[in-house]
């Protein structure tokens, strides 16, 4: 089909699944044109206010005119202007100027494109963190409740994906929690480390502003500080080129990519446990697991998390390469890449956290299935306990070891070759050699005696590591979570 014949409705345009299917309204708005270009206009207002305060010939009515039109953006006119000028910032300067004829002469006074572009990006990155952190805290809180509830439920541990020494369902959940706690700290740190680019001029030297203020360096520094404060930042980067260092983007996407790795690991575990029918993610009464196999209960939410997390994890490579090739004071080959990488990283992180929220609020545990799997493997794991018990009654360790070895091989044969249950315990009960310990055999095989300090570790970890972090957030019980920095 030729381009001229393509229908013009929304369904005939490519739209990112992150914005149409997965991410939240608030995160989509954060990276929307309305928010972006509205922020540009607010930055122009801040600049004009600060310049007026420091003595430049700017009138209050000019600022009032600008403030009245901050969110009144004519996107069609801006697009038309950009097609002519091939410059997005100047297109919006012109359109804003037409809406504000009194203020037109002083809009963008002394500034360069990166004044609005980079400072807006920093605001959006910080706001993006503010959206993500409460969602991450909600996941941590829900997993903490889950870990505490199942802190003492024995389950098979796995190393190399082979049955290993027992752990508990709650203890395994603390391994997930520990990764998320590390992510929360890293994201909060990256959020708080963000500074403002401020008012730095074309190549970061502030030469244009020094000229505006007739060489008064003190006023130039005051201008930088005033605008930074108006934008809600405490500090600005002391030195920049035309842009703030693109290593800032690396720091932001590093922590988001690391979060992606954590979520992928958690959801992979859940998918494996669902295969074993031990734990399942929520499954709604009308949900369809498979179009061909009605009985299936596919872990589709966990699969979605893994899928989007993989995309998130690779996006940090974009900003790494961008930072590496910023020639001298800047080069424009960062622009198109950053439009994609920054927004998609935050939208992807938002997607996996919302999905993980849903998963963790409705995890279903099947204790009887877990107990059956434990019963299949525990007899083999308990052989050392049996040997020690026999030695305590006067038995010879080497003789006992040989007896257990033979019986274990016979039981393994039943399991592997004939598909039968593990009958090692029954074989021990039938062998007269083990008569002295039969009264205590059930106690020796109690799964709870094989989990070590797992239940206590859960409680200690929650109290020492998790609950202190959750104190930074309010509204966790109501679902309206707020971060208090």
């Amino acid at each position: 089909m030729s381009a001229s014949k393509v229908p013009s409705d929304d369904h005939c345009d490519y739209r990112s699944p992150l914005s149409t299917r997965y991410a939240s309204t608030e995160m989509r708005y954060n990276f929307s044109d309305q928010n972006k270009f509205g922020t540009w206009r607010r930055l122009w207002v801040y600049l004009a206010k600060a310049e007026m305060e420091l003595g430049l010939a700017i009138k209050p009515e000019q600022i009032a005119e600008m403030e009245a039109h901050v969110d009144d953006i004519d996107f069609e006119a801006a697009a038309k202007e950009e097609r002519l000028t091939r410059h997005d910032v100047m297109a919006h300067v012109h359109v804003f100027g037409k809406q504000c004829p009194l203020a037109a002469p002083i809009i963008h006074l002394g500034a360069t494109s990166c004044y609005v572009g980079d400072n807006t990006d920093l605001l959006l990155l910080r706001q993006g963190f503010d959206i993500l952190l409460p969602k991450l805290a909600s996941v941590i809180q829900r997993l903490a409740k889950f870990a505490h509830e199942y802190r003492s439920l024995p389950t098979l541990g796995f190393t190399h994906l082979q049955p290993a020494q027992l752990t508990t369902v709650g203890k395994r959940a603390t391994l997930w929690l520990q990764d998320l706690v590390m992510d929360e700290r890293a994201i909060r740190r990256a959020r708080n480390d963000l500074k403002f680019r401020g008012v730095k001029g074309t190549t970061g030297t502030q030469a244009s502003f020094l000229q505006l203020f007739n060489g008064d360096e003190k006023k130039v520094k005051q201008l930088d500080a005033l605008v930074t404060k108006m934008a809600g930042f405490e500090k600005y980067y002391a030195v920049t080129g035309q842009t703030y260092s693109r290593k800032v983007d690396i720091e932001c996407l590093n922590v988001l990519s690391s979060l992606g790795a954590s979520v992928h690991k958690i959801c992979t575990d859940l998918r494996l446990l669902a295969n074993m029918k031990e734990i399942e993610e929520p499954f709604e009464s009308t949900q369809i697991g498979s179009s061909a196999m009605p009985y299936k209960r596919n872990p589709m939410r966990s699969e979605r998390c893994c899928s989007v997390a993989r995309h998130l994890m690779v996006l940090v490579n974009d900003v790494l390469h961008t930072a590496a090739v910023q020639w001298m004071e800047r080069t424009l080959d960062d622009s198109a890449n950053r439009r994609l990488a920054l927004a998609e990283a935050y939208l992807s992180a938002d997607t996996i956290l919302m999905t993980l929220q849903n998963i963790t609020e409705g995890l279903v545990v099947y204790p009887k299935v877990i107990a059956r799997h434990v019963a299949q493997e525990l007899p083999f794991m308990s052989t050392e306990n049996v040997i020690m018990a026999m030695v305590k009654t006067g038995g010879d360790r080497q003789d006992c070891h040989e007896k257990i070895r033979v019986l274990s091989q016979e039981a393994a044969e039943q399991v592997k070759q004939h598909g039968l249950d593990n009958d090692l315990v029954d074989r021990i009960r039938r062998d007269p050699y083990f008569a002295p310990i039969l009264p205590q055999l059930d106690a020796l095989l109690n799964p709870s005696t094989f989990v070590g300090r797992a239940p206590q570790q859960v409680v200690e970890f929650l109290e020492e590591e998790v609950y202190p972090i959750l104190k930074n957030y309010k509204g966790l019980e109501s679902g309206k979570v707020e971060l208090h920095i």
Side-chain angles (χ1 to χ4, degrees):
M1 181 180 292
S2 66
S4 60
K5 294 181 180 179
V6 173
S8 59
D9 64 67
D10 286 344
H11 297 288
C12 296
D13 286 335
Y14 171 78
R15 294 181 294 169
S16 168
L18 289 169
S19 60
T20 61
R21 188 179 179 92
Y22 298 133
S24 68
T25 301
E26 56 189 343
M27 190 62 83
R28 296 200 309 270
Y29 176 76
N30 188 50
F31 288 96
S32 69
D33 283 350
Q34 180 66 50
N35 191 38
K36 174 181 176 179
F37 297 123
T39 302
W40 284 12
R41 292 187 173 193
R42 278 184 282 276
L43 287 166
W44 283 321
V45 170
Y46 299 155
L47 180 62
K49 280 184 173 181
E51 289 174 335
M52 181 180 70
E53 185 175 332
L54 292 170
L56 293 189
I58 296 173
K59 300 175 182 178
E61 51 265 37
Q62 291 176 301
I63 291 173
E65 185 182 55
M66 293 167 69
E67 289 179 322
H69 292 283
V70 162
D71 294 313
D72 180 21
I73 303 170
D74 188 337
F75 290 101
E76 187 174 338
K80 183 178 180 181
E81 191 73 34
E82 186 175 350
R83 284 194 292 271
L84 295 173
T85 63
R86 310 300 295 177
H87 198 290
D88 55 349
V89 173
M90 291 312 299
H92 279 270
V93 169
H94 291 159
V95 171
F96 198 23
K98 288 178 182 178
Q99 290 177 293
C100 307
L102 287 177
I106 57 93
I107 293 174
H108 200 66
L109 183 60
T112 186
S113 299
C114 285
Y115 166 69
V116 288
D118 271 30
N119 283 324
T120 293
D121 285 343
L122 289 163
L123 283 162
L124 301 189
L125 295 178
R126 189 175 68 171
Q127 290 163 11
F129 282 144
D130 289 345
I131 293 169
L132 295 176
L133 280 166
K135 294 179 179 179
L136 178 52
S138 293
V139 171
I140 290 173
Q141 185 219 27
R142 290 166 183 174
L143 269 180
K145 287 183 176 179
F146 179 87
H148 191 269
E149 180 179 357
Y150 293 102
R151 65 191 182 279
S152 300
L153 180 61
T155 189
L156 285 175
F158 285 87
T159 59
H160 313 278
L161 202 55
Q162 302 300 311
Q165 192 176 66
L166 299 191
T167 183
T168 69
V169 171
K171 173 62 190 300
R172 177 176 285 139
T174 63
L175 302 182
W176 304 334
L177 270 169
Q178 182 169 241
D179 289 350
L180 295 178
V181 164
M182 293 173 67
D183 291 321
E184 192 277 342
R185 287 174 178 154
I187 292 172
R188 187 153 41 92
R189 183 170 57 247
R191 187 258 184 219
N192 293 338
D193 282 349
L194 283 172
K195 299 178 184 178
F196 204 52
R197 178 189 176 272
V199 185
K200 297 296 193 296
T202 307
T203 58
T205 65
Q206 298 179 309
S208 57
F209 295 103
L210 198 60
Q211 185 175 0
L212 277 176
F213 289 103
N214 299 315
D216 191 333
E217 290 188 37
K218 183 178 179 181
K219 284 190 174 181
V220 174
K221 290 184 67 176
Q222 287 178 313
L223 179 69
D224 212 353
L226 280 171
V227 174
T228 296
K229 187 174 182 180
M230 289 178 189
F233 280 83
E234 294 296 322
K235 297 179 180 179
Y236 53 77
Y237 294 108
V239 294
T240 71
Q242 190 170 82
T243 70
Y244 65 79
S245 170
R246 294 312 184 210
K247 284 183 72 69
V248 174
D249 296 343
I250 295 174
E251 290 182 348
C252 292
L253 266 64
N254 259 338
V255 297
L256 297 184
S257 293
S258 183
L259 171 68
S262 299
V263 174
H264 198 294
K265 196 276 185 203
I266 293 167
C267 290
T268 298
D269 284 356
L270 290 174
R271 292 163 67 187
L272 293 170
L273 291 166
N275 171 263
M276 297 160 61
K277 296 182 173 57
E278 290 191 357
I279 297 179
E280 286 184 342
E281 63 181 41
F283 198 90
E284 294 155 16
S285 59
T286 58
Q287 184 176 330
I288 295 174
S290 166
S291 61
M293 294 165 280
Y295 61 87
K296 292 189 74 180
R297 292 167 67 95
N298 298 335
M300 50 81 67
R301 291 172 179 84
S302 297
E303 290 171 325
R304 180 191 306 161
C305 281
C306 290
S307 184
V308 178
R310 286 202 299 274
H311 179 60
L312 172 57
M313 285 187 284
V314 301
L315 287 173
V316 70
N317 289 321
D318 275 4
V319 293
L320 284 166
H321 285 287
T322 295
V325 298
Q326 284 299 286
W327 302 347
M328 310 301 182
E329 278 63 49
R330 91 79 58 100
T331 177
L332 195 61
D333 66 353
D334 66 336
S335 179
N337 186 286
R338 294 175 71 251
R339 290 174 194 266
L340 297 167
L342 298 185
E344 289 207 356
Y346 278 83
L347 291 166
S348 297
D350 185 63
T351 296
I352 61 177
L353 281 178
M354 284 198 306
T355 309
L356 193 57
Q357 275 183 296
N358 179 266
I359 292 170
T360 54
E361 70 185 1
L363 284 173
V364 182
V365 178
Y366 296 104
K368 291 184 178 179
V369 177
I370 293 172
R372 179 158 52 85
H373 291 158
V374 169
Q376 285 291 309
E377 301 293 338
L378 187 60
F380 295 135
M381 298 178 191
S382 67
T383 54
E384 186 64 21
N385 286 12
V386 172
I387 292 172
M388 291 300 100
M390 282 296 298
V391 170
K392 287 180 181 180
T393 65
D396 180 277
R397 188 193 183 283
Q398 300 311 316
D399 290 343
C400 185
H401 183 278
E402 180 60 19
K403 285 277 188 182
I404 288 288
R405 186 188 68 80
V406 172
L407 295 180
S408 296
Q409 288 183 352
E410 291 173 352
E413 182 81 5
Q414 292 283 4
V415 173
K416 294 179 180 180
Q417 299 297 328
H418 304 291
L420 301 175
D421 289 339
N422 187 335
D423 64 352
L424 176 59
V425 176
D426 290 335
R427 291 175 183 274
I428 291 173
R429 290 186 191 279
R430 292 195 300 266
D431 192 320
Y433 177 83
F434 294 100
I437 65 165
L438 291 185
Q440 57 180 305
L441 192 56
D442 287 339
L444 292 173
L445 292 168
N446 184 346
S448 64
T449 65
F450 288 81
V451 300
R453 293 191 65 251
Q456 292 79 12
Q457 286 180 335
V458 171
V459 174
E460 291 164 3
F461 173 71
L462 295 178
E463 291 179 349
E464 295 170 11
E465 300 285 344
V466 178
Y467 298 150
I469 280 179
L470 295 180
K471 289 180 180 178
N472 293 316
Y473 299 85
K474 292 188 176 180
L476 283 165
E477 296 300 333
S478 66
K480 298 179 180 178
V481 188
E482 295 180 4
L483 169 64
H484 288 258
I485 300 297

